[in-house]
Amino acid sequence: MTENSPATENTKTVLTGLQPTGVLTIGNYIGAIRNMLEYQKEHKCYYFVADLHSLTVDIEPAVLRKNTLDVYALLLAFGVNPEKSTFFVQSHVSAHAELTWILNCHTQFGEAKRMTQFKDKSKKSPQNVNVGLFDYPVLMAADILLYQPDYVPVGKDQNQHLEIARTIAERFNNKYSPTFTVPEGINPKYGAKVASLSDPTAKMSKSDENKNGSIFLLDTKDEIMRKFKRAVTDSGNEIVYNQTEKPGISNLLTIYSCLSGKSVKEAEKEFSGSSYAQFKDAVGQTVCDFLLPVQQEYARICKEKDYLSSLMRNGAEEAARTAYRTLSKVYRKVGLLSR
Ligand code: AQP
């Protein structure tokens, strides 16, 4: 649905962003992209590549540029449809940074200090505890509140950030007058979490330094098969789902089930009697078969540079119309003179 096709009463607005901190993984597909494709069927969606957020980690400019294009092109290749969803790059709509400043002035230092992700990330990179990392949740609040979404799909790790966005919105609405929709967090329709292949107790992440733990969406067939061959499994030899006793096999069953469309029970049955090696090989093959058409479409899109630029430009213009409507209300309410 575009801005030109009016939302019906039952249409809700949904917003999601993905950070270009690395090449997307099958974890990102299973936990986020699958849901984005579902939501755009029935909701008004705002999808963006959160490049400003990526600056909170130390990232080479050339790498950030490439990742941003890759995330945008990959999402298109999966089927994010710019005719239906407003799909843009965060930094192309400067209202995100502008609203952040206003919201900073309506956020208590103590509130921001309580964010556990800030504490975790500071511990992970003690050499780069920048103010942007501290301010990340306020930028995220601005990302959300600009578009007045009803729903924001959030995993457990982002719950606290959505809560602070809701608190800031309520505070602002109470202090001035109703300005922001206070968004609801929704559990993603498909909620599976994918763990690292090297450490099944840790999340698979695009910025993981151990590249063997993550299956990147642009990995070659050889890389994928090799990573699955090396995937950490558990003691015993049965292929059954048991998150506590068999986290490695359970993770592989989750990946297999999500990408093959079969249930975990069906998968257990299919592989009963197979060795771990045979099972890992079959999961690897399924992932390769699933990714091949997406990678081909991605390669095709990347060749059409003008087309890609025009989609980004149109997406940013469409997003900016909504974003600046909200921002100008905010500016007026806090007492900034209009230009
Ligand atoms: N392993 C995962 N399993 C399921 N869902 C996942 N997501 C990420 N990893 C998994 C979901 O993908 C979206 C990505 O959000 P993000 O780009 O803002 O960053 P993130 O959640 O921090 O993802 P990464 O890949 O782990 O990035 P880095 O390495 O930069 O921290 C979210 O919806 C997330 O739930």
Side-chain angles (χ1 to χ4, degrees):
M1 180 176 318
T2 65
E3 286 226 324
N4 300 332
S5 50
T8 65
E9 225 170 88
N10 294 328
T11 308
K12 298 289 183 194
T13 302
V14 176
L15 173 135
T16 292
L18 288 160
Q19 294 185 77
T21 34
V23 180
L24 296 176
T25 70
I26 50 165
N28 297 128
Y29 168 72
I30 288 172
I33 302 171
R34 267 192 322 165
N35 289 301
M36 293 165 77
L37 301 177
E38 281 300 309
Y39 296 135
Q40 77 175 2
K41 289 183 190 159
E42 49 183 321
H43 297 300
K44 161 83 199 139
C45 298
Y46 288 91
Y47 293 148
F48 62 96
V49 184
D51 54 348
L52 293 175
H53 282 281
S54 300
L55 294 173
T56 58
V57 298
D58 201 6
I59 188 163
E60 287 284 329
V63 173
L64 177 58
R65 268 191 288 276
K66 168 138 183 32
N67 289 350
T68 304
L69 280 169
D70 280 351
V71 173
Y72 197 90
L74 268 169
L75 289 176
L76 288 174
F78 271 108
V80 166
N81 183 348
E83 297 281 314
K84 289 189 172 161
S85 305
T86 303
F87 181 36
F88 61 101
V89 173
Q90 183 189 26
S91 63
H92 291 177
V93 182
S94 58
H96 290 247
E98 294 168 88
L99 182 61
T100 300
W101 178 251
I102 307 290
L103 299 186
N104 275 336
C105 300
H106 292 79
T107 307
Q108 295 305 304
F109 187 79
E111 282 171 333
K113 218 172 120 194
R114 282 199 290 276
M115 297 295 111
T116 51
Q117 199 178 82
F118 171 69
K119 292 179 198 161
D120 294 345
K121 290 203 169 171
S122 315
K123 264 191 223 140
K124 224 170 131 190
S125 313
Q127 76 294 351
N128 186 22
V129 185
N130 59 76
V131 176
L133 192 62
F134 184 73
D135 205 27
Y136 182 112
V138 185
L139 176 58
M140 183 169 150
D143 297 335
I144 297 170
L145 299 179
L146 279 174
Y147 300 98
Q148 315 280 1
D150 302 287
Y151 297 136
V152 181
V154 275
K156 269 198 200 114
D157 54 341
Q158 290 292 341
N159 261 338
Q160 215 187 8
H161 289 168
L162 180 67
E163 246 348 281
I164 200 171
R166 287 168 51 85
T167 305
I168 298 169
E170 279 164 359
R171 180 175 299 141
F172 195 97
N173 289 348
N174 290 335
K175 181 167 179 189
Y176 303 96
S177 58
T179 309
F180 297 121
T181 301
V182 181
E184 301 279 337
I186 44 166
N187 288 326
K189 181 166 177 172
Y190 301 113
K193 278 275 162 238
V194 179
S196 157
L197 298 189
S198 310
D199 173 5
T201 60
K203 177 178 135 187
M204 182 183 287
S205 267
K206 57 178 121 64
S207 60
D208 194 340
E209 273 166 23
N210 178 1
K211 301 293 172 215
N212 290 322
S214 303
I215 300 291
F216 300 101
L217 298 178
L218 296 175
D219 276 350
T220 61
K221 181 170 183 183
D222 284 352
E223 285 166 330
I224 294 172
M225 295 307 287
R226 183 180 52 77
K227 288 180 187 180
F228 276 104
K229 222 175 231 113
R230 295 175 54 153
V232 169
T233 44
D234 319 289
S235 54
N237 54 14
E238 256 190 308
I239 294 160
V240 286
Y241 190 94
N242 183 329
Q243 191 56 54
T244 15
E245 281 170 29
K246 284 178 167 272
I249 290 294
S250 301
N251 188 39
L252 297 180
L253 277 167
T254 300
I255 296 171
Y256 181 76
S257 151
C258 291
L259 298 194
S260 67
K262 296 175 189 166
S263 69
V264 168
K265 279 272 157 267
E266 285 168 335
E268 284 175 342
K269 222 168 174 185
E270 183 179 343
F271 293 106
S272 86
S274 300
S275 66
Y276 279 178
Q278 286 166 327
F279 174 52
K280 290 202 273 188
D281 203 63
V283 182
Q285 194 56 55
T286 302
V287 173
C288 292
D289 293 346
F290 174 80
L291 287 182
L292 184 65
V294 177
Q295 293 180 341
Q296 286 170 339
E297 180 60 2
Y298 157 86
R300 190 191 67 76
I301 292 169
C302 285
K303 280 193 204 130
E304 298 190 39
K305 290 209 164 52
D306 291 346
Y307 168 70
L308 207 51
S309 308
S310 77
L311 286 184
M312 285 184 183
R313 196 167 45 245
N314 292 343
E317 279 169 11
E318 200 174 299
R321 279 198 287 276
T322 309
Y324 280 102
R325 210 178 303 134
T326 303
L327 189 70
S328 58
K329 260 198 228 169
V330 168
Y331 273 18
R332 190 163 29 84
K333 292 196 185 189
V334 299
L336 300 179
L337 283 182
S338 55
R339 247 182 285 188

PDB file of all heavy atoms in Angstrom, residues 99-127:
ATOM      1  N   LEU A  99      14.427  14.745  15.167  1.00  0.00           N
ATOM      2  CA  LEU A  99      13.512  14.414  16.266  1.00  0.00           C
ATOM      3  C   LEU A  99      14.294  13.851  17.454  1.00  0.00           C
ATOM      4  O   LEU A  99      13.924  14.068  18.607  1.00  0.00           O
ATOM      5  CB  LEU A  99      12.434  13.410  15.815  1.00  0.00           C
ATOM      6  CG  LEU A  99      11.409  13.064  16.907  1.00  0.00           C
ATOM      7  CD1 LEU A  99      10.625  14.297  17.373  1.00  0.00           C
ATOM      8  CD2 LEU A  99      10.426  11.987  16.442  1.00  0.00           C
ATOM      9  N   THR A 100      15.393  13.171  17.157  1.00  0.00           N
ATOM     10  CA  THR A 100      16.194  12.612  18.260  1.00  0.00           C
ATOM     11  C   THR A 100      16.606  13.715  19.234  1.00  0.00           C
ATOM     12  O   THR A 100      16.547  13.537  20.446  1.00  0.00           O
ATOM     13  CB  THR A 100      17.449  11.893  17.703  1.00  0.00           C
ATOM     14  OG1 THR A 100      17.008  10.859  16.846  1.00  0.00           O
ATOM     15  CG2 THR A 100      18.297  11.292  18.819  1.00  0.00           C
ATOM     16  N   TRP A 101      17.003  14.876  18.690  1.00  0.00           N
ATOM     17  CA  TRP A 101      17.446  15.947  19.594  1.00  0.00           C
ATOM     18  C   TRP A 101      16.316  16.386  20.529  1.00  0.00           C
ATOM     19  O   TRP A 101      16.494  16.536  21.738  1.00  0.00           O
ATOM     20  CB  TRP A 101      17.996  17.150  18.808  1.00  0.00           C
ATOM     21  CG  TRP A 101      18.373  18.225  19.766  1.00  0.00           C
ATOM     22  CD1 TRP A 101      17.742  19.414  19.961  1.00  0.00           C
ATOM     23  CD2 TRP A 101      19.428  18.171  20.732  1.00  0.00           C
ATOM     24  NE1 TRP A 101      18.337  20.110  20.983  1.00  0.00           N
ATOM     25  CE2 TRP A 101      19.375  19.364  21.477  1.00  0.00           C
ATOM     26  CE3 TRP A 101      20.409  17.223  21.038  1.00  0.00           C
ATOM     27  CZ2 TRP A 101      20.265  19.643  22.508  1.00  0.00           C
ATOM     28  CZ3 TRP A 101      21.295  17.489  22.070  1.00  0.00           C
ATOM     29  CH2 TRP A 101      21.219  18.690  22.789  1.00  0.00           C
ATOM     30  N   ILE A 102      15.123  16.543  19.934  1.00  0.00           N
ATOM     31  CA  ILE A 102      13.988  16.989  20.753  1.00  0.00           C
ATOM     32  C   ILE A 102      13.684  15.921  21.812  1.00  0.00           C
ATOM     33  O   ILE A 102      13.459  16.241  22.979  1.00  0.00           O
ATOM     34  CB  ILE A 102      12.731  17.227  19.863  1.00  0.00           C
ATOM     35  CG1 ILE A 102      13.055  18.171  18.703  1.00  0.00           C
ATOM     36  CG2 ILE A 102      11.559  17.739  20.720  1.00  0.00           C
ATOM     37  CD1 ILE A 102      13.320  19.598  19.056  1.00  0.00           C
ATOM     38  N   LEU A 103      13.718  14.653  21.375  1.00  0.00           N
ATOM     39  CA  LEU A 103      13.399  13.584  22.337  1.00  0.00           C
ATOM     40  C   LEU A 103      14.493  13.446  23.401  1.00  0.00           C
ATOM     41  O   LEU A 103      14.207  13.106  24.544  1.00  0.00           O
ATOM     42  CB  LEU A 103      13.169  12.243  21.619  1.00  0.00           C
ATOM     43  CG  LEU A 103      11.998  12.211  20.615  1.00  0.00           C
ATOM     44  CD1 LEU A 103      11.799  10.784  20.097  1.00  0.00           C
ATOM     45  CD2 LEU A 103      10.696  12.731  21.224  1.00  0.00           C
ATOM     46  N   ASN A 104      15.734  13.721  23.021  1.00  0.00           N
ATOM     47  CA  ASN A 104      16.824  13.711  24.019  1.00  0.00           C
ATOM     48  C   ASN A 104      16.478  14.632  25.177  1.00  0.00           C
ATOM     49  O   ASN A 104      16.768  14.333  26.334  1.00  0.00           O
ATOM     50  CB  ASN A 104      18.130  14.236  23.402  1.00  0.00           C
ATOM     51  CG  ASN A 104      18.899  13.162  22.681  1.00  0.00           C
ATOM     52  OD1 ASN A 104      18.741  11.983  22.970  1.00  0.00           O
ATOM     53  ND2 ASN A 104      19.737  13.564  21.737  1.00  0.00           N
ATOM     54  N   CYS A 105      15.870  15.750  24.817  1.00  0.00           N
ATOM     55  CA  CYS A 105      15.560  16.753  25.845  1.00  0.00           C
ATOM     56  C   CYS A 105      14.310  16.371  26.640  1.00  0.00           C
ATOM     57  O   CYS A 105      13.925  17.082  27.559  1.00  0.00           O
ATOM     58  CB  CYS A 105      15.391  18.127  25.196  1.00  0.00           C
ATOM     59  SG  CYS A 105      16.889  18.629  24.330  1.00  0.00           S
ATOM     60  N   HIS A 106      13.699  15.247  26.276  1.00  0.00           N
ATOM     61  CA  HIS A 106      12.538  14.762  27.023  1.00  0.00           C
ATOM     62  C   HIS A 106      12.805  13.365  27.581  1.00  0.00           C
ATOM     63  O   HIS A 106      11.883  12.603  27.856  1.00  0.00           O
ATOM     64  CB  HIS A 106      11.290  14.741  26.117  1.00  0.00           C
ATOM     65  CG  HIS A 106      10.834  16.125  25.750  1.00  0.00           C
ATOM     66  ND1 HIS A 106      11.456  16.876  24.766  1.00  0.00           N
ATOM     67  CD2 HIS A 106       9.859  16.912  26.263  1.00  0.00           C
ATOM     68  CE1 HIS A 106      10.856  18.051  24.679  1.00  0.00           C
ATOM     69  NE2 HIS A 106       9.880  18.097  25.571  1.00  0.00           N
ATOM     70  N   THR A 107      14.088  13.014  27.654  1.00  0.00           N
ATOM     71  CA  THR A 107      14.467  11.693  28.183  1.00  0.00           C
ATOM     72  C   THR A 107      15.395  11.925  29.369  1.00  0.00           C
ATOM     73  O   THR A 107      16.326  12.739  29.272  1.00  0.00           O
ATOM     74  CB  THR A 107      15.226  10.879  27.100  1.00  0.00           C
ATOM     75  OG1 THR A 107      14.426  10.848  25.919  1.00  0.00           O
ATOM     76  CG2 THR A 107      15.513   9.449  27.564  1.00  0.00           C
ATOM     77  N   GLN A 108      15.128  11.244  30.448  1.00  0.00           N
ATOM     78  CA  GLN A 108      15.984  11.402  31.618  1.00  0.00           C
ATOM     79  C   GLN A 108      17.244  10.565  31.460  1.00  0.00           C
ATOM     80  O   GLN A 108      17.191   9.435  30.939  1.00  0.00           O
ATOM     81  CB  GLN A 108      15.217  10.980  32.881  1.00  0.00           C
ATOM     82  CG  GLN A 108      14.033  11.878  33.188  1.00  0.00           C
ATOM     83  CD  GLN A 108      14.450  13.344  33.299  1.00  0.00           C
ATOM     84  OE1 GLN A 108      15.325  13.694  34.101  1.00  0.00           O
ATOM     85  NE2 GLN A 108      13.854  14.208  32.481  1.00  0.00           N
ATOM     86  N   PHE A 109      18.349  11.113  31.935  1.00  0.00           N
ATOM     87  CA  PHE A 109      19.630  10.415  31.846  1.00  0.00           C
ATOM     88  C   PHE A 109      19.524   9.041  32.527  1.00  0.00           C
ATOM     89  O   PHE A 109      19.972   8.021  32.007  1.00  0.00           O
ATOM     90  CB  PHE A 109      20.703  11.272  32.531  1.00  0.00           C
ATOM     91  CG  PHE A 109      22.081  10.729  32.366  1.00  0.00           C
ATOM     92  CD1 PHE A 109      22.783  10.927  31.186  1.00  0.00           C
ATOM     93  CD2 PHE A 109      22.684  10.009  33.386  1.00  0.00           C
ATOM     94  CE1 PHE A 109      24.053  10.421  31.021  1.00  0.00           C
ATOM     95  CE2 PHE A 109      23.957   9.495  33.230  1.00  0.00           C
ATOM     96  CZ  PHE A 109      24.645   9.694  32.047  1.00  0.00           C
ATOM     97  N   GLY A 110      18.883   9.034  33.691  1.00  0.00           N
ATOM     98  CA  GLY A 110      18.739   7.784  34.459  1.00  0.00           C
ATOM     99  C   GLY A 110      17.977   6.723  33.681  1.00  0.00           C
ATOM    100  O   GLY A 110      18.302   5.532  33.762  1.00  0.00           O
ATOM    101  N   GLU A 111      16.981   7.152  32.914  1.00  0.00           N
ATOM    102  CA  GLU A 111      16.197   6.194  32.118  1.00  0.00           C
ATOM    103  C   GLU A 111      17.089   5.541  31.069  1.00  0.00           C
ATOM    104  O   GLU A 111      17.078   4.323  30.878  1.00  0.00           O
ATOM    105  CB  GLU A 111      15.069   6.919  31.367  1.00  0.00           C
ATOM    106  CG  GLU A 111      13.871   7.273  32.196  1.00  0.00           C
ATOM    107  CD  GLU A 111      12.889   8.176  31.437  1.00  0.00           C
ATOM    108  OE1 GLU A 111      13.291   8.932  30.520  1.00  0.00           O
ATOM    109  OE2 GLU A 111      11.723   8.126  31.796  1.00  0.00           O
ATOM    110  N   ALA A 112      17.850   6.382  30.379  1.00  0.00           N
ATOM    111  CA  ALA A 112      18.702   5.859  29.309  1.00  0.00           C
ATOM    112  C   ALA A 112      19.793   4.953  29.895  1.00  0.00           C
ATOM    113  O   ALA A 112      20.181   3.951  29.294  1.00  0.00           O
ATOM    114  CB  ALA A 112      19.315   7.005  28.520  1.00  0.00           C
ATOM    115  N   LYS A 113      20.247   5.307  31.087  1.00  0.00           N
ATOM    116  CA  LYS A 113      21.335   4.555  31.729  1.00  0.00           C
ATOM    117  C   LYS A 113      20.930   3.133  32.114  1.00  0.00           C
ATOM    118  O   LYS A 113      21.774   2.263  32.282  1.00  0.00           O
ATOM    119  CB  LYS A 113      21.769   5.330  32.984  1.00  0.00           C
ATOM    120  CG  LYS A 113      23.264   5.315  33.227  1.00  0.00           C
ATOM    121  CD  LYS A 113      23.600   6.248  34.352  1.00  0.00           C
ATOM    122  CE  LYS A 113      24.264   5.480  35.461  1.00  0.00           C
ATOM    123  NZ  LYS A 113      24.310   6.257  36.700  1.00  0.00           N
ATOM    124  N   ARG A 114      19.634   2.939  32.248  1.00  0.00           N
ATOM    125  CA  ARG A 114      19.168   1.603  32.653  1.00  0.00           C
ATOM    126  C   ARG A 114      19.143   0.591  31.513  1.00  0.00           C
ATOM    127  O   ARG A 114      18.907  -0.590  31.733  1.00  0.00           O
ATOM    128  CB  ARG A 114      17.744   1.707  33.228  1.00  0.00           C
ATOM    129  CG  ARG A 114      17.708   2.218  34.655  1.00  0.00           C
ATOM    130  CD  ARG A 114      16.391   1.863  35.318  1.00  0.00           C
ATOM    131  NE  ARG A 114      15.270   2.616  34.771  1.00  0.00           N
ATOM    132  CZ  ARG A 114      14.928   3.849  35.170  1.00  0.00           C
ATOM    133  NH1 ARG A 114      15.611   4.456  36.114  1.00  0.00           N
ATOM    134  NH2 ARG A 114      13.900   4.474  34.648  1.00  0.00           N
ATOM    135  N   MET A 115      19.357   1.031  30.283  1.00  0.00           N
ATOM    136  CA  MET A 115      19.222   0.126  29.134  1.00  0.00           C
ATOM    137  C   MET A 115      20.277  -0.978  29.177  1.00  0.00           C
ATOM    138  O   MET A 115      21.478  -0.695  29.147  1.00  0.00           O
ATOM    139  CB  MET A 115      19.357   0.903  27.808  1.00  0.00           C
ATOM    140  CG  MET A 115      18.285   1.938  27.577  1.00  0.00           C
ATOM    141  SD  MET A 115      16.648   1.209  27.397  1.00  0.00           S
ATOM    142  CE  MET A 115      15.881   1.762  28.894  1.00  0.00           C
ATOM    143  N   THR A 116      19.830  -2.208  29.221  1.00  0.00           N
ATOM    144  CA  THR A 116      20.793  -3.303  29.389  1.00  0.00           C
ATOM    145  C   THR A 116      21.634  -3.492  28.118  1.00  0.00           C
ATOM    146  O   THR A 116      22.785  -3.900  28.186  1.00  0.00           O
ATOM    147  CB  THR A 116      20.098  -4.635  29.742  1.00  0.00           C
ATOM    148  OG1 THR A 116      19.068  -4.832  28.791  1.00  0.00           O
ATOM    149  CG2 THR A 116      19.500  -4.608  31.121  1.00  0.00           C
ATOM    150  N   GLN A 117      21.039  -3.149  26.941  1.00  0.00           N
ATOM    151  CA  GLN A 117      21.827  -3.330  25.720  1.00  0.00           C
ATOM    152  C   GLN A 117      23.045  -2.397  25.707  1.00  0.00           C
ATOM    153  O   GLN A 117      24.112  -2.774  25.225  1.00  0.00           O
ATOM    154  CB  GLN A 117      20.964  -3.104  24.483  1.00  0.00           C
ATOM    155  CG  GLN A 117      21.597  -3.717  23.264  1.00  0.00           C
ATOM    156  CD  GLN A 117      20.744  -3.543  22.025  1.00  0.00           C
ATOM    157  OE1 GLN A 117      20.778  -2.495  21.388  1.00  0.00           O
ATOM    158  NE2 GLN A 117      19.982  -4.565  21.692  1.00  0.00           N
ATOM    159  N   PHE A 118      22.879  -1.203  26.267  1.00  0.00           N
ATOM    160  CA  PHE A 118      24.018  -0.273  26.353  1.00  0.00           C
ATOM    161  C   PHE A 118      25.110  -0.890  27.232  1.00  0.00           C
ATOM    162  O   PHE A 118      26.295  -0.871  26.875  1.00  0.00           O
ATOM    163  CB  PHE A 118      23.569   1.081  26.917  1.00  0.00           C
ATOM    164  CG  PHE A 118      24.722   1.997  27.235  1.00  0.00           C
ATOM    165  CD1 PHE A 118      25.491   2.542  26.208  1.00  0.00           C
ATOM    166  CD2 PHE A 118      25.062   2.288  28.551  1.00  0.00           C
ATOM    167  CE1 PHE A 118      26.570   3.372  26.489  1.00  0.00           C
ATOM    168  CE2 PHE A 118      26.141   3.115  28.835  1.00  0.00           C
ATOM    169  CZ  PHE A 118      26.890   3.658  27.801  1.00  0.00           C
ATOM    170  N   LYS A 119      24.669  -1.455  28.366  1.00  0.00           N
ATOM    171  CA  LYS A 119      25.662  -2.055  29.270  1.00  0.00           C
ATOM    172  C   LYS A 119      26.371  -3.222  28.570  1.00  0.00           C
ATOM    173  O   LYS A 119      27.593  -3.339  28.613  1.00  0.00           O
ATOM    174  CB  LYS A 119      24.977  -2.551  30.547  1.00  0.00           C
ATOM    175  CG  LYS A 119      24.439  -1.420  31.402  1.00  0.00           C
ATOM    176  CD  LYS A 119      23.742  -1.968  32.635  1.00  0.00           C
ATOM    177  CE  LYS A 119      22.835  -0.914  33.257  1.00  0.00           C
ATOM    178  NZ  LYS A 119      21.832  -1.482  34.155  1.00  0.00           N
ATOM    179  N   ASP A 120      25.580  -4.073  27.889  1.00  0.00           N
ATOM    180  CA  ASP A 120      26.173  -5.241  27.213  1.00  0.00           C
ATOM    181  C   ASP A 120      27.143  -4.800  26.118  1.00  0.00           C
ATOM    182  O   ASP A 120      28.256  -5.303  26.008  1.00  0.00           O
ATOM    183  CB  ASP A 120      25.088  -6.113  26.565  1.00  0.00           C
ATOM    184  CG  ASP A 120      24.186  -6.745  27.617  1.00  0.00           C
ATOM    185  OD1 ASP A 120      24.567  -6.743  28.799  1.00  0.00           O
ATOM    186  OD2 ASP A 120      23.089  -7.223  27.239  1.00  0.00           O
ATOM    187  N   LYS A 121      26.673  -3.847  25.293  1.00  0.00           N
ATOM    188  CA  LYS A 121      27.515  -3.434  24.162  1.00  0.00           C
ATOM    189  C   LYS A 121      28.760  -2.700  24.636  1.00  0.00           C
ATOM    190  O   LYS A 121      29.811  -2.784  24.014  1.00  0.00           O
ATOM    191  CB  LYS A 121      26.703  -2.599  23.163  1.00  0.00           C
ATOM    192  CG  LYS A 121      25.674  -3.442  22.423  1.00  0.00           C
ATOM    193  CD  LYS A 121      25.262  -2.853  21.094  1.00  0.00           C
ATOM    194  CE  LYS A 121      24.453  -3.883  20.311  1.00  0.00           C
ATOM    195  NZ  LYS A 121      23.824  -3.367  19.108  1.00  0.00           N
ATOM    196  N   SER A 122      28.649  -1.957  25.764  1.00  0.00           N
ATOM    197  CA  SER A 122      29.830  -1.251  26.280  1.00  0.00           C
ATOM    198  C   SER A 122      30.876  -2.257  26.754  1.00  0.00           C
ATOM    199  O   SER A 122      32.072  -2.045  26.572  1.00  0.00           O
ATOM    200  CB  SER A 122      29.494  -0.378  27.483  1.00  0.00           C
ATOM    201  OG  SER A 122      28.350   0.331  27.276  1.00  0.00           O
ATOM    202  N   LYS A 123      30.368  -3.350  27.340  1.00  0.00           N
ATOM    203  CA  LYS A 123      31.317  -4.363  27.822  1.00  0.00           C
ATOM    204  C   LYS A 123      31.996  -5.041  26.635  1.00  0.00           C
ATOM    205  O   LYS A 123      33.177  -5.368  26.669  1.00  0.00           O
ATOM    206  CB  LYS A 123      30.562  -5.416  28.642  1.00  0.00           C
ATOM    207  CG  LYS A 123      30.613  -5.122  30.127  1.00  0.00           C
ATOM    208  CD  LYS A 123      30.108  -6.302  30.922  1.00  0.00           C
ATOM    209  CE  LYS A 123      29.204  -5.810  32.034  1.00  0.00           C
ATOM    210  NZ  LYS A 123      28.039  -6.620  32.269  1.00  0.00           N
ATOM    211  N   LYS A 124      31.203  -5.239  25.566  1.00  0.00           N
ATOM    212  CA  LYS A 124      31.729  -5.946  24.395  1.00  0.00           C
ATOM    213  C   LYS A 124      32.788  -5.114  23.673  1.00  0.00           C
ATOM    214  O   LYS A 124      33.747  -5.657  23.137  1.00  0.00           O
ATOM    215  CB  LYS A 124      30.557  -6.244  23.432  1.00  0.00           C
ATOM    216  CG  LYS A 124      30.596  -7.642  22.863  1.00  0.00           C
ATOM    217  CD  LYS A 124      29.307  -7.942  22.143  1.00  0.00           C
ATOM    218  CE  LYS A 124      29.545  -8.509  20.769  1.00  0.00           C
ATOM    219  NZ  LYS A 124      28.313  -8.577  19.980  1.00  0.00           N
ATOM    220  N   SER A 125      32.612  -3.787  23.645  1.00  0.00           N
ATOM    221  CA  SER A 125      33.597  -2.922  22.959  1.00  0.00           C
ATOM    222  C   SER A 125      34.014  -1.788  23.875  1.00  0.00           C
ATOM    223  O   SER A 125      33.657  -0.628  23.640  1.00  0.00           O
ATOM    224  CB  SER A 125      33.005  -2.308  21.694  1.00  0.00           C
ATOM    225  OG  SER A 125      32.362  -3.241  20.926  1.00  0.00           O
ATOM    226  N   PRO A 126      34.790  -2.095  24.940  1.00  0.00           N
ATOM    227  CA  PRO A 126      35.138  -1.044  25.913  1.00  0.00           C
ATOM    228  C   PRO A 126      35.944   0.087  25.286  1.00  0.00           C
ATOM    229  O   PRO A 126      35.988   1.197  25.822  1.00  0.00           O
ATOM    230  CB  PRO A 126      35.952  -1.803  26.967  1.00  0.00           C
ATOM    231  CG  PRO A 126      36.354  -3.086  26.344  1.00  0.00           C
ATOM    232  CD  PRO A 126      35.385  -3.397  25.257  1.00  0.00           C
ATOM    233  N   GLN A 127      36.573  -0.170  24.139  1.00  0.00           N
ATOM    234  CA  GLN A 127      37.397   0.866  23.499  1.00  0.00           C
ATOM    235  C   GLN A 127      36.527   1.881  22.742  1.00  0.00           C
ATOM    236  O   GLN A 127      37.032   2.904  22.291  1.00  0.00           O
ATOM    237  CB  GLN A 127      38.437   0.223  22.565  1.00  0.00           C
ATOM    238  CG  GLN A 127      37.958  -0.307  21.224  1.00  0.00           C
ATOM    239  CD  GLN A 127      36.998  -1.512  21.322  1.00  0.00           C
ATOM    240  OE1 GLN A 127      36.791  -2.083  22.384  1.00  0.00           O
ATOM    241  NE2 GLN A 127      36.409  -1.895  20.198  1.00  0.00           N
TER     242      GLN A 127
END
